[in-house]
Amino acid sequence: MDGARSVNGAAGTGGSARRSSAGKGEKLADWADGRLGLYGLAKANMRKVFPDHWSFMLGEICLYSFIILILTGIYLTLFFEPSGVEVVYHGSYEPLNGVVMTRAYESSLDISFDVRGGLLIRQIHHWAAVVFIAGMLIHMMRVFFTGAYRKPREVNWIFGWTLLMLGIITGLTGYSLPDDLLSGTGVRFADGAILSIPIVGTYLSMFLFGGEFPGHDIISRFFPIHVLLLPGIMLGLVVAHLILVFYHKHTQYPGPGRDQKSVVGMPFLPVYMAKAGGFFFLVFGVLTIMGGIASINPVWAFGPYRPDLVTTGAQPDWYLGFSEGLIRVMPGWEINIWGHTLIPGVLIPFSLFPLILLALGIYPFVEAWITGDKREHHILDRPRNAPVRTALGVAWLSLYGVLLIGGGNDVVATHLHLSINAITWFVRIGFFVVPVLAFLITKRFCMGLQRRDRDKVLHGRETGVIRRLPHGEFVEVHEQLPQDQLHTLTQHEQDPAYEIGPLVDANGVRRQVTLSQRVRAQLARAMFGPESRIPKPTPEEYKELTSGDHHH
């Protein structure tokens, strides 16, 4: 017992010596680890491997733009006054001296002309918002076209889609705060859409604006929504999104050594962290340059909002031009029923806007139902190997582009010297025709690329060398592809599409087939059937064509 005590005592003495010689940082780390378990958490995640591909930086651009939005927004909040109280302007911008305006608009002018660095921060903030939403949309398209939303990442897709929707709403509330003539026109547009809702539209408008439009409460109500509520929800979603990325491990493009269980790439610490840190400052620098040299939302040029005025060429930011295009090109229909006026010319486009975005949000679940696939997927699809999905995505984007033209039909008409009526009719027809054409053309391109991949696998790469055979025939020499390229071109799965099967069983009893099963079988055949993919080469075909005299 004495020996044991002496050994323990010696060990304790040594431990005390080590603790006494430890630095302050090590002591702080030991203290935190003893209470928070940070060492185990860091050990499990800091060496996590992330694949390296340029398209993965799209998500980082979204994250860094969001951080920059928060930082610049905090600065602007210190000087902005969200008040609808009317004042007479006497400030640095001479053309507006003596003009009646709200305190919100006056404080926006003060930030732009009197606060040190205020105009630069305002413009960085606005550009960051534009880049943030553009980055989210492009990032989601990358996820969509490569099938990265499949199990187990459906929840993360919903998080991203919700962030996109909240980003659009946050942008609307944000550029409405200065209360200039352009933003006031946008709020008036939103009020008209709300008023078109049958029965409850008037009540919703009165509740939102605190009375008849424009009221005096809308700015003070938008302010906490813009700076507190929506950013708080988005911050929580961003954190949850990143946690799931860590938990599920990152998707990767097909290639040698990459499968559903292993990831090829660089560790999170120190390689990925160093690259991410440098990329953050690069994004910040680009946004600063844009804010310094490219004017955006010059509120002083528009003047304060007045309900009886509309600015010439009034355009929202690009991400809301889609919704405005729907309303601008819709015929001005009105229906009178029992003394009530319904305005489908506004209500239908107002309803279509969220429905078109909703189609993007629910697609992963629709595809999972059609395929019945319950497996986990960590290897990305090449877009050409999913022709229908790729064509649907391009059709959706083409619809967005057509409606964006409709949202700026007046600007397009004046700049290109075209008839605004011709542009409006082009958008009305293009709404139905362009997505269909985009779908058919994209699908055909994808099928052609699949055929080219099959030919490259079986016959090799064209070398440009022409050889004459003994009997006089001229042939081009092909070079077999290396194994890594062969793997990339043939690793994708081609499972048979879902089928209902025989309607009569072995005993001659007719099976009951539901409408849901019939719809699922039709969709599965259209999306994953023989007409939607080119069979990839089998090992037997490859061996037969690459052996002996079959391969030139």
Side-chain angles (χ1 to χ4, degrees), residues 492-514:
H492 58 283
E493 301 171 345
Q494 290 187 331
D495 298 321
Y498 168 79
E499 295 181 351
I500 297 177
L503 298 179
V504 180
D505 62 18
N507 299 320
V509 179
R510 187 173 182 83
R511 294 173 50 220
Q512 293 293 330
V513 180
T514 65

Side-chain angles (χ1 to χ4, degrees), residues 16 183 282 426 488:
S16 300
S183 67
L282 179 62
F426 164 79
T488 301

Side-chain angles (χ1 to χ4, degrees), residues 300-369:
W300 56 88
F302 307 134
Y305 177 65
R306 284 177 49 182
D308 59 329
L309 295 179
V310 176
T311 56
T312 302
Q315 304 293 319
D317 282 333
W318 70 270
Y319 47 86
L320 282 170
F322 173 45
S323 62
E324 182 153 332
L326 280 166
I327 291 183
R328 285 197 184 193
V329 303
M330 183 73 183
W333 295 338
E334 288 188 7
I335 302 175
N336 293 309
I337 301 178
W338 301 314
H340 296 278
T341 301
L342 300 180
I343 311 177
V346 177
L347 178 62
I348 292 176
F350 183 55
S351 304
L352 279 176
F353 174 64
L355 289 177
I356 293 173
L357 290 174
L358 182 64
L360 184 66
I362 66 173
Y363 180 85
F365 303 96
V366 175
E367 184 179 295
W369 172 69

Side-chain angles (χ1 to χ4, degrees), residues 23 50 84 98 135 157 208 225-226 242 254 258 318 329 357 383 393 469 503 535 541:
F50 280 81
W157 171 266
L208 180 63
I225 294 174
H226 178 74
L242 295 177
R258 302 170 185 178
W318 70 270
V329 303
L357 290 174
L469 300 180
L503 298 179
E541 289 178 310

Side-chain angles (χ1 to χ4, degrees), residues 177-464:
L177 288 177
D179 198 35
D180 59 284
L181 188 55
L182 178 62
S183 67
T185 303
V187 176
R188 183 60 165 173
F189 171 86
D191 179 57
I194 293 172
L195 288 172
S196 69
I197 302 174
I199 302 174
V200 299
T202 303
Y203 299 99
L204 290 175
S205 176
M206 297 283 284
F207 172 77
L208 180 63
F209 292 95
E212 292 188 2
F213 181 88
H216 298 285
D217 301 331
I218 189 63
I219 298 174
S220 58
R221 290 179 178 179
F222 273 176
F223 185 72
I225 294 174
H226 178 74
V227 305
L228 184 61
L229 179 62
L230 295 179
I233 297 174
M234 294 173 70
L235 182 61
L237 288 173
V238 167
V239 173
H241 186 80
L242 295 177
I243 290 174
L244 287 179
V245 169
F246 266 83
Y247 177 72
H248 291 144
K249 75 183 180 181
H250 207 292
T251 55
Q252 56 187 338
Y253 286 94
R258 302 170 185 178
D259 53 38
Q260 303 292 353
K261 296 182 179 180
S262 61
V263 179
V264 177
M266 296 294 181
F268 182 72
L269 193 70
V271 178
Y272 193 81
M273 279 295 293
K275 293 171 65 175
F279 193 47
F280 168 77
F281 288 107
L282 179 62
V283 173
F284 206 156
V286 171
L287 287 175
T288 302
I289 293 174
M290 293 171 65
I293 65 176
S295 178
I296 185 170
N297 196 28
V299 295
W300 56 88
F302 307 134
Y305 177 65
R306 284 177 49 182
D308 59 329
L309 295 179
V310 176
T311 56
T312 302
Q315 304 293 319
D317 282 333
W318 70 270
Y319 47 86
L320 282 170
F322 173 45
S323 62
E324 182 153 332
L326 280 166
I327 291 183
R328 285 197 184 193
V329 303
M330 183 73 183
W333 295 338
E334 288 188 7
I335 302 175
N336 293 309
I337 301 178
W338 301 314
H340 296 278
T341 301
L342 300 180
I343 311 177
V346 177
L347 178 62
I348 292 176
F350 183 55
S351 304
L352 279 176
F353 174 64
L355 289 177
I356 293 173
L357 290 174
L358 182 64
L360 184 66
I362 66 173
Y363 180 85
F365 303 96
V366 175
E367 184 179 295
W369 172 69
I370 293 172
T371 61
D373 189 1
K374 306 296 183 182
R375 299 167 299 172
E376 291 191 359
H377 295 272
H378 303 290
I379 299 296
L380 299 173
D381 285 336
R382 302 174 76 209
R384 67 187 63 181
N385 293 329
V388 175
R389 178 207 298 156
T390 303
L392 286 172
V394 173
W396 190 92
L397 288 174
S398 68
L399 176 63
Y400 202 107
V402 167
L403 292 174
L404 198 61
I405 295 174
N409 56 0
D410 53 343
V411 174
V412 175
T414 55
H415 282 66
L416 300 182
H417 306 290
L418 299 173
S419 167
I420 192 169
N421 291 328
I423 296 172
T424 300
W425 275 105
F426 164 79
V427 175
R428 287 175 178 175
I429 298 172
F431 178 86
F432 299 99
V433 175
V434 171
V436 176
L437 292 177
F439 177 89
L440 296 175
I441 293 172
T442 303
K443 183 181 176 182
R444 188 172 181 85
F445 264 107
C446 290
M447 299 290 283
L449 291 172
Q450 284 189 57
R451 289 189 182 92
R452 190 185 70 171
D453 287 347
R454 176 183 171 85
D455 186 70
K456 288 173 66 176
V457 170
L458 294 177
H459 301 287
R461 181 180 61 86
E462 296 179 355
T463 62

